[in-house]
């Protein structure tokens, strides 16, 4: 059974030593480190963090260790057990890369632990050798903290998120119970405006809502990890934990806190969608190269949809706030010309080279399967509910996927989502898949009507350039079809003057409003340090924000559909301390009540 040892001598060096002791009957053994972390579809080439790799016998005699590929070595072990030793330079903080300083250390199995093909199904033991007083914290330990753990196979090892905590620094671990299972919440660094206790209370609500939905929790225990950062933000899901990075100044107001708790709900929902329910293209993994799938709009898009819905069900967001958020997301999507160019299925497939590698032109050339995938899930849920008069919903599809595949430990066949939905809901869903998933045609929102919801676009008279100006005058991007593009401007140009007057990023929008729609003005800019002149013709075809509003007098059928979808259940109301029998309990916060 392979044994791994993680050693830290001096955190100030940011170096982590990892040894793998493996038994191999082969005379030459290939050892490799993953190039990517499941859940984050980019080849991050974790081997680039390795500053030294060598191999010895278990008695310390040097063995020949040849590097044969960017992430692989061949050890000349002569059919004997050997020790493969690596030193990592851990200075890149994110929820998926190795980091170490005097305040904390953080690693994910994928970026630290090498494997041999023969041992992928073997139990792996990990031992920590840390400076005095330091402690390891991970869901891999029996009680969340310790210095040694065992995992059943290499996939489980890759999934381990391990935080290393020195004494005397700002971190806090709080244990609590939710839906009958042990949970814990670790915060690292100075916590923002909220107390850890209040974060735990809200986490409990989300856990309970998910437990109700799926009929229990599929893990022995669960750990939430939050790094309080300057401005880093992100999250990564694991089987029985999630790791989040969130700016400590970000929770100051209600909007910022909503942002955080949405992130938490998102990562937590991945326990089911992604970690258990996933396409068979994502597991078993090939850790050394891209694992292509066209179904990331399900993996991430549906999770984005549920991250907000869970908040409504948990009483952490009102239906009115929810509808406002959906309107904002539609506006955000439609402000990106790329949504008319790239389908969700293509966006998923190209995640490895597009979503995770954005350039200045991304808004014109692609659409995020998070943003558009979340709206596709909304549309799908609305259509299922409308067609079945709320007898079925996307919940039923997920519960079916959970029992048919997730609980069986297998992936659903890649590209089979239409058949899965038809199996649960009935009917023919080919039109939805052809238009909303496999093409870049506009979404058909007519199902909103069944819920008494009206979608409207706000007309805008504001003149715009269609370019974002940053660092005072640098163009960060130029939108397709915008006045700026018509004028020949591109990202990287330095905007100097419009109509002979100096313009700055802060004043650009107000500056433009003194002119008329259709007016043509001279514009001066630098490109590659050369002064150039062009003419720009202003128009007011910029953003047209979408809003989702409620019809004034909904029919009883509309009100019932709305209620079944968005009004909290009696259990949710009770969770929030609202008396479910009071008439007020059935109202949204703008007074809509059950008809
Ligand atoms: Zn996600």
């Amino acid at each position: 059974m392979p044994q791994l040892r993680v050693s830290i001598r001096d955190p100030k060096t940011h170096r982590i030593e990892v040894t793998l002791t493996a038994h191999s009957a082969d005379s030459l053994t290939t050892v490799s480190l993953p190039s990517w972390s499941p859940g984050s579809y980019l080849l991050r080439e974790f081997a680039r963090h390795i500053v030294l790799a060598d191999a010895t016998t278990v008695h310390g005699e040097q063995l020949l260790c040849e590097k044969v590929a960017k992430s692989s070595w061949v050890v000349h072990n002569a059919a004997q057990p050997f020790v493969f030793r690596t030193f990592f330079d851990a200075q890149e903080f994110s929820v998926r890369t190795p980091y170490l300083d005097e305040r904390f250390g953080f690693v994910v199995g994928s970026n630290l632990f090498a494997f041999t093909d023969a041992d992928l199904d073997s139990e792996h033991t990990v031992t920590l050798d840390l400076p005095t007083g330091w402690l390891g914290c991970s869901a891999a330990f029996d009680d969340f903290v310790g210095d040694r753990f065992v995992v059943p196979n290499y996939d489980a090892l890759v999934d381990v998120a391990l935080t290393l905590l020195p004494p005397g620094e700002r971190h806090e671990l709080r244990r609590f119970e939710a839906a009958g299972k042990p949970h814990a919440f670790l915060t690292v660094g100075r916590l923002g405006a909220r107390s850890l206790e209040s974060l735990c209370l809200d986490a409990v609500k989300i856990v309970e809502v998910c437990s109700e939905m799926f009929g229990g929790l599929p893990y022995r225990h669960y750990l939430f990890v939050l790094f309080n950062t300057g401005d880093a933000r992100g999250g990564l899901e694991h089987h029985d934990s999630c790791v989040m990075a969130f700016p400590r100044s970000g929770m100051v107001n209600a909007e910022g806190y909503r942002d955080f708790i949405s992130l938490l709900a998102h990562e937590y929902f991945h326990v089911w969608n992604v970690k258990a329910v996933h396409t068979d293209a994502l597991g078993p993994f090939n850790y050394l190269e891209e694992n292509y799938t066209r179904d990331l709009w399900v993996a991430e898009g549906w999770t984005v949809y549920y991250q907000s819905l869970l908040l409504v069900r948990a009483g952490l967001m009102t239906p009115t706030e929810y509808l406002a958020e959906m309107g904002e997301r539609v506006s955000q999507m439609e402000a990106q010309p790329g949504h008319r160019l790239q389908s969700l299925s293509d966006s998923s497939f190209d995640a490895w080279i597009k979503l995770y590698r954005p350039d200045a032109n991304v808004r014109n050339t692609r659409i995020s399967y998070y943003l558009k995938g979340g709206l596709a899930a909304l549309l799908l849920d609305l259509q299922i509910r409308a067609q079945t008069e709320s007898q079925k919903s996307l919940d039923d599809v997920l519960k079916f996927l959970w029992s048919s595949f997730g609980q069986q430990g297998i992936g659903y066949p890649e590209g089979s989502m239409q058949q899965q939905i038809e199996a649960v809901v009935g009917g023919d869903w080919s039109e939805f898949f052809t238009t909303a998933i496999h093409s870049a045609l506009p979404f058909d929102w007519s199902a909103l009507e069944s819920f008494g919801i009206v979608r409207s676009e706000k007309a805008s008279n504001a003149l715009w350039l269609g370019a974002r100006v940053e660092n005072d005058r640098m163009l960060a991007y130029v939108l397709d079809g915008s006045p700026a593009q018509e004028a020949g401007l591109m990202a990287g140009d330095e905007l100097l003057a419009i109509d002979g007057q100096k313009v700055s990023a802060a004043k650009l929008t107000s500056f433009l409003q003194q002119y008329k729609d259709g007016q043509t003005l001279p514009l001066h800019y630098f490109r590659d340090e050369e002064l150039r002149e062009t003419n720009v013709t202003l128009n007011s075809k910029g953003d047209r924000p979408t809003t989702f509003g409620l019809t004034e007098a909904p029919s009883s059928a509309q009100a019932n559909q709305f209620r079944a979808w968005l009004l909290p259940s009696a259990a949710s109301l009770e969770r929030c301390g609202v008396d479910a029998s009071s008439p007020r309990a059935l109202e949204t916060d703008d007074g809509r009540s059950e008809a």
Side-chain angles (χ1 to χ4, degrees):
M1 149 166 125
Q3 294 178 336
L4 293 130
R5 173 174 285 269
V6 178
S7 306
I8 293 174
R9 300 277 167 259
D10 181 359
K12 292 196 293 295
T13 65
H14 314 288
R15 293 280 159 83
I16 302 175
E17 179 187 347
V18 182
T19 57
L20 162 68
T21 304
H23 296 251
S24 170
D26 298 328
S27 56
L28 301 176
T29 305
T30 301
V31 182
S32 301
L33 189 71
S35 291
W36 66 288
S37 279
S40 180
Y41 308 98
L42 174 69
L43 293 187
R44 290 177 194 272
E45 320 292 12
F46 296 121
R48 70 195 160 88
H49 298 294
I50 294 179
V51 291
L52 183 76
D54 62 13
T56 63
T57 66
V58 290
H59 307 296
E61 294 142 359
Q62 206 70 34
L63 293 173
L64 185 57
C65 175
E66 290 178 284
K67 190 155 191 195
V68 293
K70 61 186 177 182
S71 303
S72 299
W73 294 257
V74 166
V75 178
H76 294 242
N77 58 306
Q80 296 299 313
F82 64 93
V83 179
F84 177 69
R85 185 175 65 152
T86 41
F87 288 90
F88 288 82
D89 187 48
Q91 300 200 44
E92 183 183 329
F93 177 72
S94 80
V95 295
R96 53 184 74 79
T97 42
Y99 185 83
L100 174 67
D101 69 11
E102 304 99 297
R103 302 168 304 153
F104 66 86
F106 176 72
V107 296
V108 178
S110 56
N111 52 58
L112 212 63
F113 299 130
F115 64 91
T116 64
D117 283 342
D119 279 331
L120 289 175
D121 295 326
S122 309
E123 265 190 4
H124 286 63
T125 303
V126 177
T127 308
L128 307 184
D129 175 14
L130 304 177
T132 308
W134 282 59
L135 207 60
C137 182
S138 170
F141 297 113
D142 285 340
D143 187 34
F144 302 112
V145 291
D147 59 9
R148 183 179 180 277
F149 61 84
V150 181
V151 290
N153 52 47
Y154 185 72
D155 284 338
L157 184 64
V158 160
D159 189 53
V160 167
L162 174 64
T163 309
L164 308 170
L165 300 164
E169 287 286 339
R170 289 173 190 266
H171 49 75
E172 193 179 347
L173 178 71
R174 185 174 289 244
R175 293 173 176 81
F176 57 94
E177 200 173 286
K181 293 257 174 103
H183 292 70
F185 206 128
L186 170 70
T187 62
V188 183
R190 184 197 298 257
L191 189 56
R194 301 277 174 148
S195 69
L196 178 54
E197 189 181 0
S198 73
L199 300 188
C200 292
L201 286 173
D202 286 348
V204 168
K205 292 174 187 166
I206 290 165
V207 170
E208 287 178 347
V209 164
C210 290
S211 176
E212 276 164 30
M213 177 172 166
F214 290 101
L217 303 175
Y219 46 74
R220 62 170 177 153
H221 65 204
Y222 190 91
L223 174 65
F224 296 91
V225 179
L226 169 62
F227 288 96
N228 299 288
T229 64
D231 61 1
R233 190 187 185 288
L236 191 64
E237 69 275 14
H238 300 275
H239 270 100
D240 48 8
S241 69
C242 66
V243 180
M244 299 166 284
F246 198 80
R248 61 182 72 89
S249 60
M251 291 189 206
V252 172
N253 55 31
E255 198 183 330
Y257 184 68
R258 170 103 39 78
D259 203 16
F260 166 72
I261 204 71
S262 297
L263 173 67
L264 184 146
H266 178 104
E267 301 307 336
Y268 183 70
F269 196 70
H270 275 318
V271 167
W272 290 271
N273 193 30
V274 167
K275 282 301 177 188
V277 172
H278 55 77
T279 155
D280 58 10
L282 290 179
F285 298 110
N286 179 337
Y287 291 111
L288 296 178
E289 54 190 51
E290 293 88 347
N291 291 223
Y292 293 105
T293 168
R294 292 190 169 274
D295 285 340
L296 290 179
W297 63 275
V298 177
E300 292 301 342
W302 290 23
T303 306
V304 166
Y305 175 60
Y306 274 93
Q307 79 188 35
S308 307
L309 205 55
L310 294 180
L311 297 191
V312 176
R313 291 177 183 173
L316 296 168
M317 183 191 269
T318 67
T320 307
E321 288 168 337
Y322 176 82
L323 290 181
E325 188 178 286
M326 291 307 112
E328 278 165 27
R329 286 199 194 148
V330 172
S331 309
Q332 223 184 323
M333 176 178 79
E334 293 184 345
Q336 299 180 30
H339 89 279
R340 294 192 295 264
L341 206 62
Q342 191 186 39
S343 70
L344 274 174
S345 148
D346 288 346
S347 173
S348 302
F349 192 83
D350 272 342
W352 301 87
I353 56 167
K354 292 198 173 170
L355 188 109
Y356 279 91
R357 287 183 177 165
D359 59 26
N361 214 23
V362 289
R363 286 165 188 77
N364 294 322
T365 57
R366 59 97 171 146
I367 191 67
S368 157
Y369 52 78
Y370 282 81
L371 176 62
K372 191 178 178 186
L375 292 169
L378 165 66
L379 188 61
L380 183 58
D381 198 14
L382 291 175
Q383 290 193 2
I384 294 172
R385 288 169 182 272
Q387 286 188 20
T388 63
E389 294 183 345
S390 294
Q391 295 304 304
K392 299 277 183 195
S393 72
L394 198 56
D395 285 15
D396 296 299
V397 178
L398 266 165
K399 285 189 271 190
F400 171 78
L401 293 168
W402 163 239
S403 61
S404 308
F405 302 100
Q407 282 185 306
Q408 314 307 321
I410 52 173
Y412 60 80
E414 167 77 5
S416 71
M417 196 45 65
Q418 184 185 329
Q419 290 94 295
Q420 309 299 342
I421 290 167
E422 287 169 356
V424 177
V425 182
D428 177 0
W429 286 81
S430 50
E431 194 189 330
F432 176 86
F433 275 80
T434 306
T435 55
I437 308 304
H438 300 304
S439 86
L441 292 168
F443 281 174
D444 171 8
W445 290 106
S446 54
L448 283 171
E449 211 246 318
S450 304
F451 300 81
I453 297 170
V454 185
R455 173 178 178 250
S456 41
E457 272 184 6
K458 223 166 151 187
S460 165
N461 299 321
L463 297 173
W464 75 318
L465 207 54
R468 181 175 172 80
V469 185
E470 283 178 355
N471 299 330
D472 206 32
R473 60 187 190 189
M474 186 75 77
L475 298 195
Y477 60 79
V478 172
L479 291 174
D480 274 6
S482 65
Q485 192 191 48
E486 289 289 314
L489 297 174
M490 68 184 290
D493 288 346
E494 285 177 70
L495 183 60
L496 297 175
I498 296 177
D499 195 21
Q501 299 171 73
K502 183 180 173 185
V503 284
S504 64
K507 293 180 186 159
L508 179 64
T509 303
S510 58
F511 173 85
L512 294 176
Q513 306 317 314
Q514 64 185 297
Y515 299 100
K516 290 193 176 63
D517 200 339
Q519 197 168 346
T520 300
L521 307 168
L523 184 152
H524 289 83
Y525 63 101
F526 280 134
R527 177 174 296 170
D528 193 22
E529 299 185 1
E530 276 184 347
L531 180 65
R532 295 178 63 84
E533 183 180 356
T534 182
N535 290 312
V536 64
T537 303
L538 301 178
N539 69 40
S540 58
K541 295 176 187 161
D543 289 354
R544 291 178 182 276
T546 288
T547 53
F548 285 163
L550 302 170
T551 50
E552 280 188 11
S555 68
S556 64
Q558 286 173 323
N560 286 338
Q561 289 274 56
F562 182 87
R563 186 178 189 283
W565 174 43
L566 274 191
L567 288 196
S569 65
S572 295
L573 291 168
E574 197 186 317
R575 200 175 291 120
C576 305
V578 177
D579 177 4
S581 62
S582 96
R584 180 69 204 155
L586 296 177
E587 292 178 359
T588 63
D589 60 356
D590 66 348
R592 164 173 283 204
S593 59
E594 187 187 19

